Amino acid sequence: MKISIIGTGYVGLVTGACFAEVGHHVVCVDSDPAKVALLQAGGMPIYEPDLEDLVARNVAAGRLCFSNSTVEGVEKSDVIFIAVPTPPLPDGSVDLSFIERVAREIAGAMTSYKIIVDKSTVPVNTGEKVAETIKRYCKARVEFDIASNPEFLREGFAVGDLMKPDRIVVGVRSPRPVAAMKEIYAPFQAPIIVTDINSAELIKHAANSFLALKISYINAISVLCEASGANVQEVANGMGMDARIGRRFLDASLGFGGSCFPKDLGAFIKISEQLGYDFRLLREVQAINADQMARFVKKITDTLWVLKGKRLGVLGLAFKQNTDDVRQSPAIELCHRLLREGAILRVHDPKAMGKARAVLPDVTYVDDMNEVAEGCDALIVATEWPEFKQLDLERVRKCLTHPILFDGRNLFDVREMEALGFIYKSIGR
Ligand code: UDX
C-alpha cells in the first residue's frame, strides 16, 4: 500500500517505520524542518529501542522517506494517517488545532479518492469534525473516507507493540475503507476489530484510563499493605493470577506519568463532563496518583527530617524504563520537590540525562550509576530501569554517608537489602 503519515512523533515515526518494514511504501511528513533534516540524515529525534535500525533498513530499501510537505505526502499515498499531537489545554480539554490544520492541508492537496485515518488520541466525535473540515476545504470535490485507528503502543516497547499488537481497532462510517485497512494490517497477524468511529475513539480513552485506574488501584492497596504489614507485590501476584484481572499494570510505584496517562485521564474526565457525566472514579484515580508522590516525599522527609543541605542521589529521570522521555516524569517531579526543600541532588539516568538537563538544570549529572550515591545522605530509585538491579550495592552502601535507600519502584528484595545493611524503604512492602 502507499501510505503517508502526517506527524513524526513517537506514534507517527514508529508506525511509519513498521508499515515500511512489512512492505508498504511510506512517506513520513513533519512540519518541523529540523526534524525532517535530522531523519533524512540518518539521525533519530527520540530514543526508542530498535527504531534506528528499523528506519535505516527501510530507508535503504526505498520503502520509507521523510518530507516537510503534506502535499507530497497526500500525492504519493492512497491512505493518509494523521499522527499529530493532541496536547492538553489549561482546563484539561484537548487542543485539536493540529488535527484541524492537518485536515485542511490534506483537503487542499487531495485530487483523487483518499482514506484519511486518525491515529492521534482524540475525543469522541472528532472524526465527524475531521470529515466536515475535509469536505469544506477540498476544492477538487473528490470522494474520501475517514477512519479512526487508535494506537496503543507503549514508549520503550513501541516497535514490539506495533509489530505484535494485541488488537487493531478500526472505526469507520461506511464499509468502503475497511478492505484497505485490512490490507495494511494483514502482515501484523493481529485480530482486527471494526467499529463505528465514535466507538473507536472512545476505546482509546477508555483503555488508557482503565490502565491508569489499575495502577492507582494497586497504589491504594500499597497504602493498606504498609499500614498492615502485607507485601503489595505478593498481593499483586495473587490478584494477577486471576485471568480476569491479569498481573500487568499492577506494579505499585511513586505514581504514573508520561505524555499519555495524565493527559488522557484529564481529557477523558473533561469529555465525560461535556457529555453530561461526572466521571468521579477517574478523578479519584488522579487524586490517588498525586497522593502517591506526596506519600513518597513524606517517606523521605520522615526519615531524613530536614532536607535543606542534604545530599541525595537519584537514580532514574525518565518517566519509565527504556525511554529518554521526561515529559510528566514522576522522577523529575520528585527532583523538583526535593530541590524545593533545599536538597542537593546527584542524578543519573541511562538515556534521559540529555533531555532532563533542559528541565532540571540545578543538579549534578553523574555518568556512572554506581557513583551517584557518593557522599550522599540517601539514594532514591525513581525509574524502573532494569539496569539498576545490577547496581554494586556493596559499593553503594559504603559510599553513602548513611546506608538509606528509598525505592519508588520496588526494584530490590526487602530481605536482601536489609541483610546488606541498608535502611530500605520501598512502596507497599
Ligand atoms: C501508555 C499506554 O500503555 C499505551 O497503550 C498508550 O498508547 C500510551 O500510554 P506509555 O505512556 O508509553 O503508554 O507508558 P506505560 O508503560 O503505560 O507506563 C505509564 C506510566 O505508568 C509510567 O510512568 C510507568 O512507570 C507507570 N506504571 C506502569 C506503573 O507505575 N505501574 C505499572 O504497573 C505500570
Side-chain angles (χ1 to χ4, degrees):
M1 299 287 289
K2 292 196 186 107
I3 296 170
S4 60
I5 315 238
I6 317 293
T8 311
Y10 270 98
V11 169
L13 182 56
V14 182
T15 305
C18 291
F19 280 170
E21 177 73 1
V22 299
H24 302 308
H25 282 85
V26 183
V27 187
C28 281
V29 177
D30 203 284
S31 58
D32 177 354
K35 192 191 266 189
V36 171
L38 176 72
L39 286 160
Q40 283 170 337
M44 276 292 119
I46 50 170
Y47 168 74
E48 187 61 41
D50 303 327
L51 185 61
E52 195 165 353
D53 286 351
L54 192 71
V55 168
R57 186 161 66 239
N58 284 284
V59 168
R63 287 190 299 265
L64 179 63
C65 64
F66 301 97
S67 168
N68 245 155
S69 155
T70 303
V71 176
E72 183 186 346
V74 172
E75 275 170 2
K76 287 189 173 163
S77 60
D78 302 315
V79 184
I80 303 149
F81 285 78
I82 302 176
V84 293
T86 49
L89 289 166
D91 71 347
S93 62
V94 183
D95 178 358
L96 292 168
S97 59
F98 296 104
I99 298 263
E100 195 266 353
R101 197 193 64 212
V102 167
R104 278 189 281 121
E105 285 174 7
I106 294 169
M110 281 180 359
T111 52
S112 59
Y113 173 78
K114 306 282 177 192
I115 301 171
I116 298 111
V117 186
D118 173 55
K119 222 178 210 323
S120 302
T121 302
V122 293
V124 59
N125 294 325
T126 299
E128 286 303 325
K129 295 274 181 218
V130 169
E132 273 172 32
T133 304
I134 292 175
K135 203 166 168 195
R136 189 171 308 138
Y137 286 89
C138 180
K139 299 263 176 336
R141 302 267 162 242
V142 291
E143 285 188 22
F144 68 92
D145 271 301
I146 57 162
S148 165
N149 173 220
E151 182 47 59
F152 302 97
L153 62 80
R154 292 163 302 161
E155 289 182 22
F157 303 92
V159 173
D161 283 352
L162 227 138
M163 294 305 286
K164 270 180 82 65
D166 288 344
R167 80 309 203 180
I168 287 143
V169 175
V170 176
V172 289
R173 296 198 294 183
S174 71
R176 189 170 173 189
V178 174
M181 293 301 287
K182 285 193 171 165
E183 195 176 333
I184 290 172
Y185 280 108
F188 296 92
Q189 293 176 347
I192 298 179
I193 140 164
V194 179
T195 68
D196 60 90
I197 291 200
N198 287 350
S199 301
E201 290 170 340
L202 211 59
I203 285 169
K204 172 70 193 208
H205 272 118
N208 262 7
S209 298
F210 188 81
L211 290 168
L213 177 146
K214 219 176 157 184
I215 300 169
S216 276
Y217 188 84
I218 201 67
N219 280 338
I221 299 289
S222 81
V223 180
L224 299 184
C225 288
E226 284 178 21
S228 64
N231 180 323
V232 74
Q233 279 174 321
E234 312 235 336
V235 176
N237 290 344
M239 285 170 62
M241 283 178 80
D242 185 328
R244 292 169 302 175
I245 297 174
R247 176 64 179 82
R248 295 171 73 190
F249 281 70
L250 283 182
D251 289 321
S253 64
L254 73 171
F256 59 75
S259 64
C260 290
F261 281 176
K263 166 179 89 95
D264 290 353
L265 257 184
F268 205 29
I269 291 168
K270 198 76 195 167
I271 292 161
S272 307
E273 192 185 303
Q274 283 158 356
L275 293 170
Y277 177 64
D278 177 8
F279 215 144
R280 296 187 300 277
L281 179 65
L282 295 186
R283 284 197 278 116
E284 197 53 34
V285 170
Q286 288 179 319
I288 292 170
N289 201 48
D291 285 352
Q292 202 64 5
M293 171 64 72
R295 283 168 35 77
F296 191 62
V297 174
K298 184 167 183 301
K299 210 170 266 182
I300 298 170
T301 52
D302 280 353
T303 310
L304 300 177
W305 194 18
V306 174
L307 295 188
K308 191 159 188 224
K310 297 254 162 69
R311 285 163 68 92
L312 301 174
V314 178
L315 286 172
L317 298 167
F319 82 98
K320 63 175 211 179
Q321 61 179 312
N322 278 344
T323 180
D324 64 351
D325 196 345
V326 295
R327 289 174 294 171
Q328 310 282 316
S329 169
I332 299 280
E333 161 75 11
L334 175 69
C335 288
H336 284 308
R337 288 192 187 213
L338 299 174
L339 288 172
R340 278 204 295 276
E341 296 282 328
I344 301 156
L345 302 184
R346 290 168 60 78
V347 304
H348 168 83
D349 189 283
K351 293 283 177 210
M353 293 204 281
K355 288 191 175 161
R357 278 176 215 272
V359 288
L360 194 64
D362 300 321
V363 301
T364 304
Y365 287 88
V366 182
D367 286 332
D368 182 340
M369 66 176 180
N370 285 305
E371 287 173 9
V372 173
E374 217 124 284
C376 287
D377 294 280
L379 183 65
I380 301 166
V381 176
T383 307
E384 70 275 34
W385 280 98
E387 34 273 75
F388 294 159
K389 289 188 183 163
Q390 312 306 321
L391 266 184
D392 183 345
L393 289 167
E394 197 68 46
R395 179 175 161 193
V396 165
R397 187 179 44 91
K398 283 190 189 136
C399 66
L400 280 166
T401 320
H402 311 287
I404 306 173
L405 202 152
F406 299 98
D407 185 352
R409 297 292 188 164
N410 288 349
L411 283 192
F412 301 105
D413 185 86
V414 180
R415 278 176 215 279
E416 279 173 28
M417 293 304 282
E418 282 168 1
L420 280 166
F422 279 97
I423 298 167
Y424 178 64
K425 311 234 170 185
S426 55
I427 308 276
R429 307 186 299 171

